[in-house]
Amino acid sequence: MSACDRPGLLPMEAALERLLALADAAPVEQIESVALVEADGRVLAEPLVAALDLPPWANSAMDGYALCLADWNGQALPVSQRIQAGSAPEPLQPGSCARIFTGAPLPHGADTVEMQENVDLDDAGRAVFRETLRVGQNVRAQGQETRRGECVLPAGTRLGPVELGLAASLGVAQLPVRRRLRVAVLSTGDELVEPGQALGPGQIYNSNRRLLIAWLQRLGCAVTDAGILPDDLPRTRAALGALGEVDLILSTGGVSVGEADFLGLALREAGELALWKLAIKPGKPLTFGHYQGVPVIGLPGNPASTLVTFGLLARPYMLRRLGVQRVEPLGFPLPAGFTWSKPGMRREYLRARLEHGRVVPYANQSSGVLRSAAWAEGLAEVMEGSTLAEGDMLRFIPLSEILG
Ligand SMILES: Nc1nc2c(c(=O)[nH]1)N[C@H]1C(S)=C(S)[C@@H](COP(=O)(O)OP(=O)(O)OC[C@H]3O[C@@H](n4cnc5c(N)ncnc54)[C@H](O)[C@@H]3O)O[C@H]1N2
Ligand code: MOO
Ligand SMILES: [Mg+2]
């Protein structure tokens, strides 16, 4: 029996497909204009079209001498002007060359730049060109990077340092972005206390809350911290109903089959439990539903399960709601540095790192062990039903690809 055949266990692709379809059906459409300095991590709402050529004028790629090669007879040329970046040159005097520096505008009439290392100055201060020259060498033509009117970034681009630099290079000071996704974070569990407090009997510190809030902030979300919810059905209902205007409720814990797992129960009772048991490990009891019309993603409470399901399912869902098209991490193939002899029913995401070019998993893969992810550099994907010998290829998803 494969994982796909196993009753009630949904394969990863099917779960993601469903989540993305739900996201497509509930897009965040509002747009706001933000200064570039505020735009890191936000999602571009309209295509960015160049309003000017880049570069705006031909300029020199080297420190050296600019000349008109067509008019040159191979003789030493007098230096008729000096052009620094930021200056406005005179047209090039016929029969002369111009001293020029990197990024300075080419004077009208010049078509070629020779780097200064290949030029000598004779006793009369004329430039002697030692090497063969080629028309256009070391010249960055106007519009060679971008022509006015070209789309340089499509709508739905997630803005990062490169995109912001590109927008700045085009003189754009403000960008239209989708408004922030408003996410409420709920931690469920009677056993949870916050760091800084004393641990009572049976209690543990709430780690998921900090993990998720930091991650959501990196994702550009507006976060409502809804604190800790006790394992109690009436209070779960009340808390879910009191979260105000949010686009998503993200909870951890309380979604498995235990008698104290009330999140799933509250959603089922409201008639809006949509999901699922997934064929992935960790992360099997991921839950999706709505509460009074607001989407709810119930992440499994075990911290490594929270990490994997948020990174591989909730994060893509959230980005898609903002209009990002490619939302899944790509990862890349790498050879396994371990063997896997027992094919599993669920696809496994091992917290792993690279050692000597091979993927090595953390020794303790229990889904309660968050330390595994702090040690790891990525998630090693072991497909359901498969075995691995050392050197077999698997997909490695760097944590850096999903953490942000
Ligand atoms: N009989 C079964 N029991 C369990 C199954 C199952 O199929 N049958 N699935 C297991 C799997 S797999 C997972 S994953 C967990 C998921 O459980 P829940 O999502 O209901 O989460 P809880 O039971 O509330 O907590 C699980 C675990 O994680 C700890 N936890 C919860 N929240 C936090 C937090 N904010 N910070 C740190 N640690 C947290 C909690 O104390 C538990 O140890 O269910 C299995 N059981
Ligand atoms: O599927 Mo659970 O998340 O392994 O512990
Ligand atoms: Mg439970």
Side-chain angles (χ1 to χ4, degrees), residues 41 158 214-221 310 315 318-319 322 404:
R158 184 108 192 277
W215 203 342
L216 289 164
Q217 283 168 343
R218 284 189 175 194
L219 277 166
C221 298
F310 183 86
R315 178 183 180 275
M318 293 193 301
L319 290 175
L322 295 170

Side-chain angles (χ1 to χ4, degrees), residues 187-189 191-192 204-209 231 252-257 261 283-285 299-303 305 346 367:
S187 315
T188 74
E191 73 277 32
L192 301 178
I204 59 165
Y205 288 116
N206 182 356
S207 56
N208 291 337
R209 182 183 186 183
D231 293 316
T252 59
V255 291
S256 185
V257 295
D261 290 332
K284 181 175 66 169
L299 305 171
N302 281 312
S305 313
R346 297 191 270 161
S367 57

Side-chain angles (χ1 to χ4, degrees), residues 12 39 42 54 61 66 82 94 135 142 144 149 160-161 180 203 216 218 220 224 238 285 288 368 385 387 393 396:
M12 181 65 172
R42 306 293 295 274
L54 268 191
R82 188 171 186 279
V135 178
Q142 175 174 347
Q144 75 165 30
R180 294 179 190 278
Q203 293 185 318
L216 289 164
R218 284 189 175 194
T224 302
F288 185 91
T387 57
M393 300 303 278
F396 183 77

Side-chain angles (χ1 to χ4, degrees), residues 253-272:
V255 291
S256 185
V257 295
E259 284 166 10
D261 290 332
F262 289 112
L263 198 269
L265 216 58
L267 298 184
R268 182 173 294 116
E269 185 192 70
E272 295 188 289

